[in-house]
Amino acid sequence: MARIVMKFGGTSVADIERIANAAARVKREVEAGNEVAVVVSAMAGATNQLVGYVDQTSRMYDAREYDAVVASGEQVTAGLMALRLQEMGVAARSWLGWQIPLKTDEVHGKARIEEIGTDNLDPRLSNGEVAVIAGFQGVSPRGRITTLGRGGSDTTAVALAAALKAERCDIYTDVDGVYTTDPRIVSKARKLARISHEEMLEMASLGAKVLQTRSVELAMNHGVRLQVLSSFDDKPGTLVVDEDEIVEQQVVSGIAYSRDEAKVTLVKVADKPGVAASVFGPLADAAVNVDMIVQSVASDGVRTDMTFTVAKTDLERAVAVLEKNRAAIEYEQLIQDADVVKISVIGVGMRSHAGVAQTMFRTLADKGINIQVISTSEIKISTLVAEEYTELAIRALHTAYGLDAA
Ligand code: ASP
Ligand code: MG
């Protein structure tokens, strides 16, 4: 007998029929002798609608009330799922964040989980009752409802799996696993049987939208075995596991991309101590996240160009901040470009293999694609290129790293 967490995303609980389908899967696991905690998202589209209601009501909204509104979608599906299970003869009870309790900090709209009490759930699970938990929500130290950021139900599921010491955490979604890259772009993309936590973390933060980044981080830190699978068929999904569990390691496991990038170049800033601080300090103060950075060497020994990327949604704010600080930074010209994409190749095998970056540069060069910015870490190489080359670049790289399905 094992204890498991089953998480159903919005598309898997999109209507009454799909909730019944998900409930049937839960029943199967219960009948196999497992103790089951279920985490549900809101019905597909429900959270967007709720966010819309808030936006239409208040422009500079009170984040506590935003949370009160948007957390409600999960309350509906938790109750419906519990009812459906009861109809099927399975003992079940719904749980909201405050009832568990799932305690968070006070950062409304993007709260972090601090502690999950298990005294309420433990005895009921041991008694064979299914706990149906509303994902995405928690309770603040002041007793107010919080939400964990968009996609946060994944994080609820993983945190719960860690707290309940579950054997595994199954994430049911509308794709049947994690692919080597976006199958909508590369028809020869392959489903991965296994991927390491670390690679998944890079994939998620670099644009693959299967799992919320924070949930992968949690899974990695707590050693939670994740499985990503479809609720619409019975095929095995992708296991997200510890690196040691992966026997045959590919050098590159996947290619991720993000169109949510914009590039800013400051032309002819002074090449002297303190310049980077004068640029990135005010940006940080304005909560603009800077990602890739390049600074060239001053050819005249005095002035240099500095290029960096920010999220597309932050571009306007970043430009405003830089213009305001123009006198202090002393740049000649500011060039912005929102038509860029960041393409990243990811693989733990890079640690022990040389030439991975060279393959990327060569492949892009052969296609006549200019690389604007490069950044690397231990297990990934990212390049920034013009957005129009997104498909071409990803397809060429997928082939170059031997990832194409036979
Ligand atoms: N319903 C929330 C959202 O759409 C949380 C989730 O589904 O993970 O972001
Ligand atoms: Mg999701």
Side-chain angles (χ1 to χ4, degrees):
M1 197 183 70
R3 185 175 273 191
I4 61 173
V5 172
M6 302 171 78
K7 185 258 170 179
F8 293 96
T11 48
S12 303
V13 293
D15 54 38
I16 300 301
E17 200 187 318
R18 289 193 182 174
I19 291 175
N21 169 61
R25 287 181 183 274
V26 174
K27 184 175 181 184
R28 247 196 274 164
E29 296 289 359
V30 172
E31 285 176 345
N34 295 308
E35 293 179 10
V36 185
V38 178
V39 174
V40 287
S41 285
M43 290 178 172
T47 309
N48 284 344
Q49 187 180 43
L50 293 167
V51 170
Y53 290 158
V54 172
D55 285 339
Q56 288 165 47
T57 306
S58 169
R59 232 179 96 69
M60 299 289 286
Y61 55 74
D62 179 334
R64 287 161 293 194
E65 302 312 337
Y66 166 94
D67 278 351
V69 176
V70 302
S72 66
E74 274 73 11
Q75 176 165 348
V76 173
T77 42
L80 289 172
M81 175 68 80
L83 280 177
R84 172 53 66 186
L85 286 166
Q86 290 172 1
E87 288 293 322
M88 291 171 156
V90 178
R93 186 60 64 208
S94 67
W95 295 85
L96 300 178
W98 63 270
Q99 292 171 313
I100 297 174
L102 188 150
K103 298 182 182 167
T104 71
D105 62 18
E106 233 168 343
V107 186
H108 284 274
K110 221 179 175 28
R112 280 187 167 264
I113 298 174
E114 288 185 335
E115 193 193 333
I116 299 182
T118 54
D119 290 354
N120 292 327
L121 296 181
D122 259 333
R124 287 167 179 255
L125 287 170
S126 307
N127 269 335
E129 186 177 284
V130 173
V132 184
I133 289 132
F136 181 52
Q137 57 169 268
V139 60
S140 79
R142 293 177 205 234
R144 301 224 59 99
I145 294 169
T146 53
T147 62
L148 308 179
R150 296 307 304 270
S153 294
D154 292 336
T155 298
T156 306
V158 174
L160 206 69
L164 294 172
K165 301 184 172 58
E167 197 153 286
R168 56 171 215 270
C169 181
D170 290 342
I171 308 275
Y172 287 91
T173 173
D174 51 357
V175 293
D176 59 358
V178 180
Y179 280 73
T180 48
T181 194
D182 188 340
R184 287 168 303 184
I185 290 183
V186 181
S187 58
K188 287 186 168 175
R190 278 186 295 115
K191 183 162 82 180
L192 295 161
R194 283 163 189 252
I195 185 169
S196 70
H197 285 122
E198 215 177 323
E199 289 166 319
M200 190 63 230
L201 186 59
E202 292 285 5
M203 294 273 264
S205 50
L206 293 168
K209 296 207 167 57
V210 210
L211 291 169
Q212 195 197 33
T213 306
R214 209 190 290 168
S215 72
V216 186
E217 210 174 0
L218 260 185
M220 183 162 88
N221 293 340
H222 294 273
V224 174
R225 288 169 62 86
L226 286 177
Q227 184 177 196
V228 176
L229 67 179
S230 164
S231 59
F232 304 121
D233 61 44
D234 283 317
K235 285 186 275 185
T238 298
L239 281 171
V240 186
V241 294
D242 214 77
E243 199 178 317
D244 311 337
E245 282 193 54
I246 299 174
V247 204
E248 250 188 75
Q249 194 57 254
Q250 293 271 354
V251 178
V252 166
S253 310
I255 301 171
Y257 68 100
S258 164
R259 289 192 161 102
D260 180 33
E261 310 286 326
K263 185 181 69 167
V264 177
T265 301
L266 296 176
V267 180
K268 298 206 179 202
V269 291
D271 193 13
K272 63 178 188 201
V275 171
S278 74
V279 172
F280 300 118
L283 288 173
D285 292 341
V288 173
N289 243 325
V290 173
D291 180 20
M292 309 165 98
I293 302 175
V294 277
Q295 188 184 348
S296 52
V297 180
S299 51
D300 58 359
V302 187
R303 302 232 150 221
T304 172
D305 295 345
M306 187 181 272
T307 297
F308 54 89
T309 62
V310 298
K312 222 171 235 175
T313 43
D314 283 347
L315 179 60
E316 218 185 296
R317 206 145 35 99
V319 170
V321 167
L322 293 166
E323 279 171 353
K324 209 177 110 196
N325 289 276
R326 181 164 188 165
I329 305 168
E330 296 178 52
Y331 58 86
E332 228 176 74
Q333 194 193 349
L334 186 160
I335 304 170
Q336 46 177 310
D337 181 1
D339 298 324
V340 289
V341 61
K342 181 171 68 174
I343 297 177
S344 312
V345 299
I346 297 147
V348 289
M350 276 182 214
R351 289 204 197 103
S352 47
H353 282 80
V356 182
Q358 180 53 19
T359 301
M360 184 171 202
F361 304 154
R362 182 75 287 155
T363 304
L364 295 177
D366 286 346
K367 295 287 175 194
I369 301 170
N370 184 40
I371 301 172
Q372 303 179 8
V373 188
I374 300 169
S375 74
T376 64
S377 78
E378 216 188 356
I379 67 160
K380 70 136 202 273
I381 305 159
S382 299
T383 52
L384 195 75
V385 304
E387 192 170 12
E388 60 184 307
Y389 296 126
T390 309
E391 283 81 9
L392 179 64
I394 294 172
R395 285 188 195 125
L397 291 167
H398 201 265
T399 304
Y401 287 108
L403 295 173
D404 287 350

